[in-house]
Amino acid sequence: MSGYDLDVAAAAALQSSYEQWSAQAAGLPNARLDLSYGPHPRQQLDVFSAGPEAPAIVFFHGGYWKAGSKDARRFPAKPWNALGVSWIAVNYRLTPDHELADCVADTRAAVAWLAAHADTLDLDPANLHLAGNSAGAHLAAMAAAAEWAGAARPTGIRSLCGISGLFDLQPLLHEVANAWLGLTEASARDLSPQNQMPPPTMPILIGCGGAETAEFKTQSNRYADLCRMAGNTVDRFESPDSDHFRIIGEFGSPGSPLFSRLQRHIASS
């Protein structure tokens, strides 16, 4: 068995719950859904603003870069809004119909679009906090990188939260995932967050579930160590009762280890 293999049945059950909760969140009075930041149907995002001076969590879903949707990640909006924090859920183009480099480009384009349209979206462009789980943690980390090749990076990216992330893509060259990712040695290197580090002043929150698979824990530990060595302030934690899928629910569960950690992380960033 691969160190990245996950329980598909457990994922489906939890995903159904997240979809139901997100359907309820879609009815919130401040919901602005399916806003286009590019011409492709997947280049859309949802904004739940808590006000023009509120910090904003910009969230990227997981799904191994080939599946998933922002539509099932709307559910954290209500509890975060209640605390005066905006919630933004982002879609991006998926593999194998598109290259992983396109996923990364979409992630950065979404953040740039949010910063450029902050006034009309009731957002603070100087207070953006990037977050994601699994493949979404990889994309959030790539958007947090200090340098964006060929594009202007917004100045208002304040922090990064990566949960159960993949920060070194080299091991995936030998995994079944490369059937849809199509990585080469060069692209795996260039698209790995550990080779495109965030600014050393950026606070980093890195976590996973206590029941997470070994490879995801290893990736989280290694990236956290690299960020510390680069000068970042890093909070590395595990949520003892969560696994790869259950921890997603903690993004919308006040009092849970992830929610509490992220709340403190944003307040201090």
PDB file of all heavy atoms in Angstrom, residues 6 18-19 28 135 170 198 215 239 256:
ATOM      1  N   LEU A   6      -5.713   6.464   0.891  1.00  0.00           N
ATOM      2  CA  LEU A   6      -6.687   6.991   1.829  1.00  0.00           C
ATOM      3  C   LEU A   6      -7.972   6.179   1.753  1.00  0.00           C
ATOM      4  O   LEU A   6      -8.232   5.481   0.772  1.00  0.00           O
ATOM      5  CB  LEU A   6      -6.965   8.462   1.516  1.00  0.00           C
ATOM      6  CG  LEU A   6      -5.712   9.354   1.487  1.00  0.00           C
ATOM      7  CD1 LEU A   6      -6.056  10.723   0.917  1.00  0.00           C
ATOM      8  CD2 LEU A   6      -5.122   9.487   2.879  1.00  0.00           C
ATOM      9  N   TYR A  18     -20.193  17.494   4.579  1.00  0.00           N
ATOM     10  CA  TYR A  18     -19.690  18.825   4.236  1.00  0.00           C
ATOM     11  C   TYR A  18     -20.546  19.477   3.150  1.00  0.00           C
ATOM     12  O   TYR A  18     -20.771  20.691   3.164  1.00  0.00           O
ATOM     13  CB  TYR A  18     -18.233  18.742   3.775  1.00  0.00           C
ATOM     14  CG  TYR A  18     -17.290  18.141   4.801  1.00  0.00           C
ATOM     15  CD1 TYR A  18     -16.151  17.443   4.407  1.00  0.00           C
ATOM     16  CD2 TYR A  18     -17.539  18.264   6.158  1.00  0.00           C
ATOM     17  CE1 TYR A  18     -15.287  16.894   5.335  1.00  0.00           C
ATOM     18  CE2 TYR A  18     -16.681  17.705   7.099  1.00  0.00           C
ATOM     19  CZ  TYR A  18     -15.554  17.019   6.675  1.00  0.00           C
ATOM     20  OH  TYR A  18     -14.702  16.463   7.608  1.00  0.00           O
ATOM     21  N   GLU A  19     -21.036  18.665   2.221  1.00  0.00           N
ATOM     22  CA  GLU A  19     -21.899  19.191   1.161  1.00  0.00           C
ATOM     23  C   GLU A  19     -23.221  19.697   1.736  1.00  0.00           C
ATOM     24  O   GLU A  19     -23.717  20.766   1.339  1.00  0.00           O
ATOM     25  CB  GLU A  19     -22.156  18.115   0.112  1.00  0.00           C
ATOM     26  CG  GLU A  19     -20.933  17.795  -0.747  1.00  0.00           C
ATOM     27  CD  GLU A  19     -21.168  16.615  -1.667  1.00  0.00           C
ATOM     28  OE1 GLU A  19     -22.234  15.958  -1.539  1.00  0.00           O
ATOM     29  OE2 GLU A  19     -20.286  16.336  -2.503  1.00  0.00           O
ATOM     30  N   LEU A  28     -26.661  31.995   3.276  1.00  0.00           N
ATOM     31  CA  LEU A  28     -26.340  33.120   4.144  1.00  0.00           C
ATOM     32  C   LEU A  28     -26.545  34.439   3.387  1.00  0.00           C
ATOM     33  O   LEU A  28     -26.257  34.525   2.186  1.00  0.00           O
ATOM     34  CB  LEU A  28     -24.896  33.019   4.634  1.00  0.00           C
ATOM     35  CG  LEU A  28     -24.589  31.877   5.615  1.00  0.00           C
ATOM     36  CD1 LEU A  28     -23.090  31.763   5.852  1.00  0.00           C
ATOM     37  CD2 LEU A  28     -25.332  32.094   6.938  1.00  0.00           C
ATOM     38  N   ALA A 135      -4.133  18.558  -1.335  1.00  0.00           N
ATOM     39  CA  ALA A 135      -3.680  19.264  -2.532  1.00  0.00           C
ATOM     40  C   ALA A 135      -3.895  20.763  -2.407  1.00  0.00           C
ATOM     41  O   ALA A 135      -3.124  21.570  -2.937  1.00  0.00           O
ATOM     42  CB  ALA A 135      -4.421  18.729  -3.760  1.00  0.00           C
ATOM     43  N   GLN A 170       8.387  15.354  -5.446  1.00  0.00           N
ATOM     44  CA  GLN A 170       9.291  14.330  -5.981  1.00  0.00           C
ATOM     45  C   GLN A 170       8.803  12.905  -5.695  1.00  0.00           C
ATOM     46  O   GLN A 170       8.829  12.048  -6.594  1.00  0.00           O
ATOM     47  CB  GLN A 170      10.704  14.528  -5.433  1.00  0.00           C
ATOM     48  CG  GLN A 170      11.404  15.790  -5.922  1.00  0.00           C
ATOM     49  CD  GLN A 170      11.902  15.671  -7.350  1.00  0.00           C
ATOM     50  OE1 GLN A 170      12.147  14.579  -7.837  1.00  0.00           O
ATOM     51  NE2 GLN A 170      12.054  16.807  -8.024  1.00  0.00           N
ATOM     52  N   PRO A 198       7.860  30.701   1.223  1.00  0.00           N
ATOM     53  CA  PRO A 198       7.228  31.985   1.533  1.00  0.00           C
ATOM     54  C   PRO A 198       8.240  32.973   2.085  1.00  0.00           C
ATOM     55  O   PRO A 198       9.367  32.579   2.451  1.00  0.00           O
ATOM     56  CB  PRO A 198       6.195  31.608   2.602  1.00  0.00           C
ATOM     57  CG  PRO A 198       6.743  30.377   3.239  1.00  0.00           C
ATOM     58  CD  PRO A 198       7.459  29.633   2.137  1.00  0.00           C
ATOM     59  N   GLU A 215       3.070   9.328   5.348  1.00  0.00           N
ATOM     60  CA  GLU A 215       3.719  10.204   4.382  1.00  0.00           C
ATOM     61  C   GLU A 215       3.253  11.653   4.499  1.00  0.00           C
ATOM     62  O   GLU A 215       4.040  12.580   4.326  1.00  0.00           O
ATOM     63  CB  GLU A 215       3.495   9.683   2.962  1.00  0.00           C
ATOM     64  CG  GLU A 215       4.228   8.380   2.652  1.00  0.00           C
ATOM     65  CD  GLU A 215       5.741   8.526   2.719  1.00  0.00           C
ATOM     66  OE1 GLU A 215       6.228   9.649   2.546  1.00  0.00           O
ATOM     67  OE2 GLU A 215       6.408   7.518   2.938  1.00  0.00           O
ATOM     68  N   SER A 239      -4.061  17.249  15.311  1.00  0.00           N
ATOM     69  CA  SER A 239      -5.357  17.124  15.960  1.00  0.00           C
ATOM     70  C   SER A 239      -5.561  15.649  16.278  1.00  0.00           C
ATOM     71  O   SER A 239      -5.754  14.833  15.368  1.00  0.00           O
ATOM     72  CB  SER A 239      -6.466  17.630  15.034  1.00  0.00           C
ATOM     73  OG  SER A 239      -7.724  17.523  15.655  1.00  0.00           O
ATOM     74  N   SER A 256     -12.497  23.218  18.103  1.00  0.00           N
ATOM     75  CA  SER A 256     -11.679  22.082  17.669  1.00  0.00           C
ATOM     76  C   SER A 256     -10.212  22.504  17.620  1.00  0.00           C
ATOM     77  O   SER A 256      -9.903  23.698  17.548  1.00  0.00           O
ATOM     78  CB  SER A 256     -12.130  21.584  16.299  1.00  0.00           C
ATOM     79  OG  SER A 256     -11.865  22.565  15.303  1.00  0.00           O
TER      80      SER A 256
END
